[in-house]
Amino acid sequence: GVDISTFMISTATYQFRCAAIYDHHDVATGGRWDYSVPEAYRLGMRQGNFILARDACLYGLNPANNEGLINSPTATAINLPPDTNGNTTVVNYDNGQMAFFLSLQVQAIKTTTYQMGRGRRFTILGPQRTLGPFEYNVVQLVQYQRPGAGTMSTAGTFKEIIMANGDSLVWAYDDTLIGKGVGSTTLNPVDLVILVMPEVERPVGAKNAIDTNVFAGLTPSNPMCTTQYCDMAAPREIISPMAEGKTHMMTEWRISSGWGLRGEAIRLISMPY
């Protein structure tokens, strides 16, 4: 027989509020410097909201409740293994072996989420000092030929390997991940690199054919592996007059923390710098 069970999953949402007050004297002063005071406050409040949203996405606003991508309870946390020369730090690591290590992490994610054989989208995020050299180095020549040797960077080799399998990659930076790796100390900093597959795709078989995954066609369904929700695309702006000719500007925005719905699609890689 078939046993159907349903249950809810949920995450907390938080409302951000930011306010500014200005009057015609402030506007005139800004005009002397050739900038708009209302626009400056508007962009300043948006930047504050977006920085908080970034922190909520990565670290969560209440980490004890498993909020934030790095706190996903089923995410896989790994340490950078030594290369064949015994190097364990990003600065000294073999460039080619780093590319192969990263491509193996993509393969591992696709394996655990049953996405092998299908092109998927991946995102890698890490500090500039860690991921930056991967884009500007060159894979070394060795006694045997390997992909990208002498011409391609670590990032270029990594991208070529996964692109050959139909995958795509978003390469991004965030310096707040400096020192966030496992075992990081002041003398021996360990940076954190996050590799995720944001969503899965349900393999679709031929119509009316035998399909061992046919139940996945039930709707509604959610393909997201990592996500963050907000009540609107940008903070709501509320402008109201005040006494003495002043203007009160306030923004409101409700968001969730980063949510690892499928932790199998998240790799948290600790890389000693």
Side-chain angles (χ1 to χ4, degrees):
V2 177
D3 185 14
I4 304 294
S5 60
T6 58
F7 57 92
M8 297 291 294
I9 58 175
S10 62
T11 188
T13 62
Y14 302 87
Q15 181 167 274
F16 297 159
R17 302 183 76 187
C18 189
I21 298 174
Y22 60 89
D23 61 15
H24 58 287
H25 294 295
D26 300 318
V27 173
T29 300
R32 288 195 291 272
W33 290 94
D34 200 25
Y35 75 89
S36 167
V37 168
E39 185 67 7
Y41 278 127
R42 177 179 295 108
L43 294 178
M45 289 189 286
R46 283 197 174 192
Q47 181 162 326
N49 279 294
F50 295 160
I51 289 174
L52 286 171
R54 183 273 313 275
D55 292 344
C57 179
L58 297 181
Y59 310 108
L61 295 173
N62 194 347
N65 290 339
N66 298 323
E67 294 179 4
L69 297 185
I70 71 171
N71 299 311
S72 301
T74 55
T76 301
I78 59 176
N79 297 315
L80 180 67
D83 64 14
T84 55
N85 297 315
N87 298 313
T88 58
T89 62
V90 171
V91 174
N92 298 316
Y93 213 84
D94 182 275
N95 299 338
Q97 292 182 44
M98 178 63 76
F100 304 148
F101 167 76
L102 294 175
S103 64
L104 287 176
Q105 304 315 306
V106 169
Q107 177 192 348
I109 290 176
K110 294 181 72 173
T111 301
T112 56
T113 55
Y114 298 96
Q115 299 292 296
M116 289 296 290
R118 310 184 67 82
R120 304 305 311 133
R121 178 169 60 92
F122 290 85
T123 296
I124 189 168
L125 179 71
Q128 294 180 89
R129 71 177 189 178
T130 301
L131 294 187
F134 298 166
E135 292 200 277
Y136 289 93
N137 61 19
V138 175
V139 174
Q140 304 95 325
L141 290 167
V142 291
Q143 66 272 22
Y144 58 92
Q145 185 61 28
R146 58 183 180 183
T151 59
M152 216 78 50
S153 66
T154 296
T157 302
F158 175 38
K159 293 175 184 177
E160 286 294 326
I161 292 173
I162 66 172
M163 285 172 59
N165 290 279
D167 302 319
S168 62
L169 180 69
V170 176
W171 191 280
Y173 294 97
D174 193 318
D175 279 350
T176 66
L177 294 170
I178 291 176
K180 294 298 193 301
V182 175
S184 181
T185 64
T186 303
L187 296 178
N188 298 294
V190 180
D191 296 344
L192 185 64
V193 173
I194 303 174
L195 177 64
V196 302
M197 182 178 69
E199 58 186 22
V200 295
E201 178 183 352
R202 184 183 77 86
V204 179
K207 186 176 182 181
N208 298 324
I210 294 175
D211 184 355
T212 57
N213 193 40
V214 67
F215 186 79
L218 183 71
T219 56
S221 62
N222 189 347
M224 305 307 298
C225 297
T226 60
T227 189
Q228 183 179 28
Y229 294 104
C230 57
D231 62 348
M232 57 192 69
R236 175 189 291 112
E237 296 175 2
I238 303 171
I239 301 175
S240 55
M242 296 180 63
E244 300 177 347
K246 291 181 172 58
T247 299
H248 182 271
M249 176 186 293
M250 183 180 70
T251 61
E252 288 187 347
W253 202 30
R254 181 171 290 277
I255 71 165
S256 72
S257 295
W259 199 1
L261 290 169
R262 294 180 172 93
E264 299 85 356
I266 304 173
R267 277 289 197 278
L268 306 174
I269 309 171
S270 295
M271 293 188 177
Y273 176 70

